[in-house]
Amino acid sequence: MSAGTGPDLDGLPGGVQAAVEAILMVADEPVSEYRIAAALVVPVATVQRVLDRLRAEYDGRAADLGYAGTLEPRGFELRSTGAGWRIYSRSEFAPVVSAFVAEGQTARLSQAALETLAVVAYRQPVSRGRISAIRGVNVDGVVRTLVQRGLIRELERDGESGALRYGTTTLFLEKMGIGSLEELPDIAPHLPGIDQLDHYED
Amino acid sequence: MSAGTGPDLDGLPGGVQAAVEAILMVADEPVSEYRIAAALVVPVATVQRVLDRLRAEYDGRAADLGYAGTLEPRGFELRSTGAGWRIYSRSEFAPVVSAFVAEGQTARLSQAALETLAVVAYRQPVSRGRISAIRGVNVDGVVRTLVQRGLIRELERDGESGALRYGTTTLFLEKMGIGSLEELPDIAPHLPGIDQLDHYED
Amino acid sequence: MHPGELPEPSGPGGFAVRLEDFAGPFEVLLSLIAKHELDITRIALATVTDEFLRYVRALHDVGSARALDEASEFLVVAATLLDLKAARLLPRGEVEDEDDVALLEARDLLFARLLQYKAFKEVAGLLDERMRAESARLPRAVPLEPEAAAVLPELDWRTTPEQLAGIARAVLGARPGTPAEVGVDHLHGAAVTVRDEAETLVGLLEGGVPRSFRALVAGAGSTLAVVVRFLALLEMFRDAVIELSQDAPLGELTVRWTGADIGWTAERLAADGAADGTADAGGAAAGAAAGAVRGEAGTPAGVPA
């Protein structure tokens, strides 16, 4: 199955499937099937098939795998977003798992932080002045908190006003479990006509 | 199986075994069977049994598990060291894992990594939370890179907050061409008093 | 309104109001106003506020942690409603009047602002839900095993101890949140000082020939320089080294030098402390006109370009 130049996966215990698993184990960010295929020197379609199979296996979906009996779900799951594939602990075990992840566990965001984050997510690149105008309060402290949490970051300065503008980070996408900003929930149903909003220039 | 005060593991998919797996999959340092037992509120002997079983399962040792057929080994394995248990990619797959890791890595430290390294060098022992507060961004990924590069390492946990703290390594001294931390150029006159820095507790 | 009746906390929606035209949750009131189904001018905001205060007090009495949250949220919404109402109550007159057009736009803006704020609030709720659901799963992000770490490309190290110390100074010195001084690096534009501009003006006027203000600022080169030159003229007028004359309102402003015999020089502005062009050209002009802006001459002034 493997091309001549790649490692001899068929000779290894568990074959291609185990090789894909081995890579997933060391990835510390979502990985695409293309990167996996490149490392293993196997066709992307093969990797795609293996990933789908692994996901079903971890979820305990015996029927999808063609097994007659039942299959226990594993304590972890394989998830795919636009950014790629990644191993997560299964959500049901959140209460027992959180104690073991040293830091990086973030406390819940305040209502003010959430609203500011929403404005940045949907209006980026956006300056603090504009966020303030929308929220009707000073947002300096909240913006700082969001930057410290790694959820938003400073982007370029606005050409005209020179104001620093902010956008969301890949960590934000991760926390939302999405691969790109296009996957954000649609805001349109909540908004008045977009033409009205365009009055809100800084 | 679980005691009255613990989480209801039997009601969760995969039971105690999946709960242990969930912890092992995302713990970012080796964990002992005692810590797992405490978190799950089950006897240590039970955790020990589950760990042995998981290891046999990952290794594909069907006979040890009482299975009649064969079992494919997984791409990961459970290893036990003095510090505890950890899931690693299976050692046979080192070549493909290496191919994956080496691609997409650069030989130079990023500016973000250098800044974080400078903070650790001059403020050690220091926690990730505090580095984050000083740099104003999330530093989890960068700290991981520096640990992987052998330039910083985990020290003791902070007595009060329990946060892991980091310090530089002898490799760092070697790279800098100095014999000890005392030889680092003095930056004190340019800094605010240490009492002011203490605002940055995690 | 029915005095004596406590508005009831109505589930997660919270605050409800009872008015002549409307009784129900506050959220519904807002959406009716937004949809133009209820005239904002008919709502007695004071009544709404009174009811709200009683509602929050009731929450507080039962020890609900929501009291503070709800209060601050209400303040934002109430302020917007008040703006909205003020705009609606102002006489509009004929639409030909430019001021009226501006007012109408302001009203529309307020509507949009209210709606937009509500939209982001709703979406913030969605983000919260999503992130909470997501945080139940933790991604695997563990340090590389030693074998895999060994294959990382050899580190290309070029940083000297002095460079690292420089980085440390920069990072540890510039702490977020408590800047030692207000950053002005976002203000670009050449430095223009009152003293320098006064010197230029003296050069133009010294011969004794009266010149128009228009001529004096003709070579200024930027709006900022024009503003600072104007400030310099105010300073010179205060020191009685120039005379100003204007034949008719909005007519040509003529400037004449009278300071030759008292030996006035622009250096004096440095010694005295003189008006200083500040960051905002408009603000500086307004301030100077009111005689309010005092500062140190020689301080660079800048405006957003």
Side-chain angles (χ1 to χ4, degrees):
Chain A
M1 186 184 284
S2 60
T5 50
D8 175 21
L9 298 176
D10 294 333
L12 289 176
V16 177
Q17 172 161 326
V20 171
E21 273 186 332
I23 286 176
L24 291 171
M25 282 307 121
V26 298
D28 61 359
E29 56 184 5
V31 277
S32 70
E33 47 269 40
Y34 305 100
R35 273 189 74 197
I36 299 174
L40 299 182
V41 198
V42 296
V44 175
T46 306
V47 173
Q48 183 70 55
R49 205 162 48 236
V50 167
L51 287 166
D52 285 337
R53 202 182 156 76
L54 284 173
R55 177 162 53 182
E57 206 177 313
Y58 298 164
D59 289 349
R61 287 184 272 123
D64 291 357
L65 295 161
Y67 295 159
T70 60
L71 193 62
E72 284 287 290
R74 307 227 67 113
F76 48 90
E77 54 186 317
L78 180 58
R79 301 179 69 223
S80 154
T81 66
W85 298 76
R86 194 168 183 186
I87 299 267
Y88 291 78
S89 61
R90 192 165 291 285
S91 57
E92 285 86 346
F93 296 105
V96 295
V97 161
S98 49
F100 288 87
V101 179
E103 277 135 302
Q105 267 303 74
T106 44
R108 278 197 61 192
L109 292 174
S110 66
Q111 184 62 24
L114 276 169
E115 288 175 17
T116 301
L117 183 59
V119 174
V120 174
Y122 286 90
R123 282 273 168 269
Q124 57 188 302
V126 64
S127 68
R128 272 186 295 201
R130 191 161 174 185
I131 305 169
S132 275
I134 291 171
R135 294 208 42 239
V137 291
N138 179 297
V139 295
D140 290 2
V142 167
V143 163
R144 206 154 49 230
T145 303
L146 289 172
V147 170
Q148 261 173 31
R149 291 280 191 92
L151 294 170
I152 67 172
R153 68 198 172 91
E154 297 175 354
L155 302 173
E156 83 288 14
R157 285 182 188 283
D158 181 69
E160 267 175 56
S161 69
L164 253 184
R165 299 202 290 183
Y166 295 82
T168 52
T169 61
T170 48
L171 180 68
F172 166 73
L173 296 180
E174 263 174 46
K175 297 269 179 206
M176 289 286 292
I178 59 179
S180 76
L181 292 173
E182 279 81 61
E183 294 175 49
L184 279 175
D186 198 3
I187 194 178
H190 308 279
L191 276 177
I194 202 80
D195 46 335
Q196 280 172 273
L197 288 175
D198 282 348
H199 292 299
Y200 283 100
E201 294 315 324
D202 317 76
Chain B
M1 187 185 284
S2 61
T5 50
D8 176 22
L9 299 174
D10 295 332
L12 290 176
V16 177
Q17 172 161 327
V20 173
E21 261 187 340
I23 290 169
L24 291 171
M25 209 34 110
V26 295
D28 54 6
E29 55 183 348
V31 282
S32 72
E33 50 269 43
Y34 304 102
R35 277 188 70 204
I36 299 174
L40 300 183
V41 198
V42 296
V44 177
T46 305
V47 174
Q48 186 66 58
R49 204 161 51 237
V50 167
L51 287 166
D52 286 338
R53 201 183 158 77
L54 283 173
R55 179 156 57 177
E57 206 178 312
Y58 297 165
D59 290 349
R61 288 185 270 124
D64 290 357
L65 295 162
Y67 294 160
T70 60
L71 193 63
E72 284 287 290
R74 306 229 69 111
F76 45 88
E77 57 188 338
L78 185 55
R79 290 187 219 160
S80 150
T81 67
W85 298 77
R86 230 196 102 168
I87 289 180
Y88 289 94
S89 61
R90 183 165 294 283
S91 50
E92 284 89 341
F93 292 100
V96 296
V97 166
S98 301
F100 173 78
V101 169
E103 172 228 356
Q105 290 285 340
T106 54
R108 297 196 61 183
L109 286 183
S110 65
Q111 182 63 24
L114 275 173
E115 288 179 8
T116 299
L117 181 59
V119 172
V120 175
Y122 282 92
R123 283 282 167 266
Q124 55 190 307
V126 63
S127 70
R128 272 186 293 194
R130 192 158 174 183
I131 304 169
S132 263
I134 292 171
R135 290 206 43 235
V137 294
N138 180 295
V139 296
D140 290 358
V142 167
V143 164
R144 208 154 48 228
T145 301
L146 290 171
V147 170
Q148 263 164 34
R149 284 299 191 174
L151 295 167
I152 67 171
R153 68 196 172 89
E154 296 172 356
L155 303 173
E156 85 289 14
R157 283 183 185 281
D158 180 70
E160 266 174 60
S161 69
L164 255 184
R165 299 202 288 183
Y166 295 82
T168 52
T169 60
T170 49
L171 179 68
F172 166 75
L173 297 179
E174 271 170 42
K175 293 278 183 195
M176 295 287 287
I178 57 178
S180 78
L181 290 173
E182 278 78 59
E183 293 174 47
L184 278 176
D186 200 6
I187 61 167
H190 305 273
L191 282 180
I194 198 77
D195 48 333
Q196 281 169 274
L197 284 171
D198 282 346
H199 291 303
Y200 286 106
E201 288 318 321
D202 322 81
Chain C
M1 150 156 156
H2 307 258
E5 271 180 60
L6 258 191
E8 290 298 317
S10 57
F15 178 47
V17 285
R18 283 165 195 273
L19 304 165
E20 269 181 32
D21 288 343
F22 173 86
F26 187 53
E27 289 286 311
V28 176
L29 172 68
L30 286 182
S31 66
L32 286 178
I33 294 170
K35 280 188 271 175
H36 299 254
E37 281 167 20
L38 197 62
D39 188 349
I40 179 81
T41 58
R42 299 188 56 133
I43 304 298
L45 285 179
T47 308
V48 175
T49 306
D50 285 349
E51 290 209 13
F52 180 77
L53 288 178
R54 283 197 291 145
Y55 166 68
V56 168
R57 214 169 288 133
L59 273 186
H60 189 76
D61 288 347
V62 298
S64 170
R66 273 205 346 247
L68 187 62
D69 276 357
E70 293 228 10
S72 43
E73 182 184 308
F74 179 80
L75 280 181
V76 174
V77 177
T80 307
L81 283 176
L82 193 62
D83 278 358
L84 193 58
K85 190 169 177 182
R88 284 297 294 274
L89 287 174
L90 286 170
R92 263 169 278 169
E94 303 90 302
V95 212
E96 294 91 66
D97 191 328
E98 275 199 18
D99 287 347
D100 283 339
V101 173
L103 248 187
L104 285 177
E105 280 176 359
R107 195 205 58 192
D108 289 345
L109 286 187
L110 286 165
F111 263 119
R113 181 159 155 189
L114 178 63
L115 292 169
Q116 181 173 245
Y117 175 69
K118 277 174 52 64
F120 280 115
K121 248 170 66 70
E122 286 173 32
V123 159
L126 290 181
L127 295 194
D128 188 31
E129 244 168 64
R130 187 73 193 246
M131 283 196 283
R132 261 198 289 171
E134 202 56 31
S135 70
R137 305 182 183 91
L138 292 170
R140 180 170 165 96
V142 304
L144 270 189
E145 38 230 74
E147 299 92 319
V151 303
L152 290 174
E154 173 81 21
L155 193 61
D156 181 6
W157 184 268
R158 302 183 190 177
T159 311
T160 65
E162 286 69 30
Q163 283 168 339
L164 190 77
I167 294 169
R169 267 181 219 118
V171 175
L172 293 171
R175 292 173 301 134
T178 52
E181 54 188 315
V182 177
V184 291
D185 57 329
H186 59 287
L187 303 172
H188 28 92
V192 182
T193 67
V194 173
R195 190 177 64 185
D196 290 351
E197 293 308 307
E199 242 162 54
T200 308
L201 291 170
V202 172
L204 289 169
L205 293 166
E206 252 177 348
V209 183
R211 289 178 191 273
S212 68
F213 179 72
R214 197 186 306 278
L216 288 175
V217 299
S222 71
T223 310
L224 174 64
V226 173
V227 172
V228 178
R229 239 171 240 198
F230 174 67
L231 294 176
L233 283 176
L234 290 180
E235 285 301 320
M236 292 160 76
F237 183 70
R238 190 186 59 129
D239 287 349
V241 294
I242 55 171
E243 275 178 9
L244 301 174
S245 58
Q246 192 173 33
D247 293 339
L250 300 179
E252 196 84 80
L253 183 66
T254 307
V255 183
R256 195 169 66 86
W257 176 250
T258 61
D261 47 335
I262 59 170
W264 190 92
T265 69
E267 290 304 318
R268 186 186 150 69
L269 293 178
D272 254 17
D276 167 28
T278 62
D280 178 345
V293 179
R294 311 297 297 175
E296 194 183 325
T299 306
V303 287

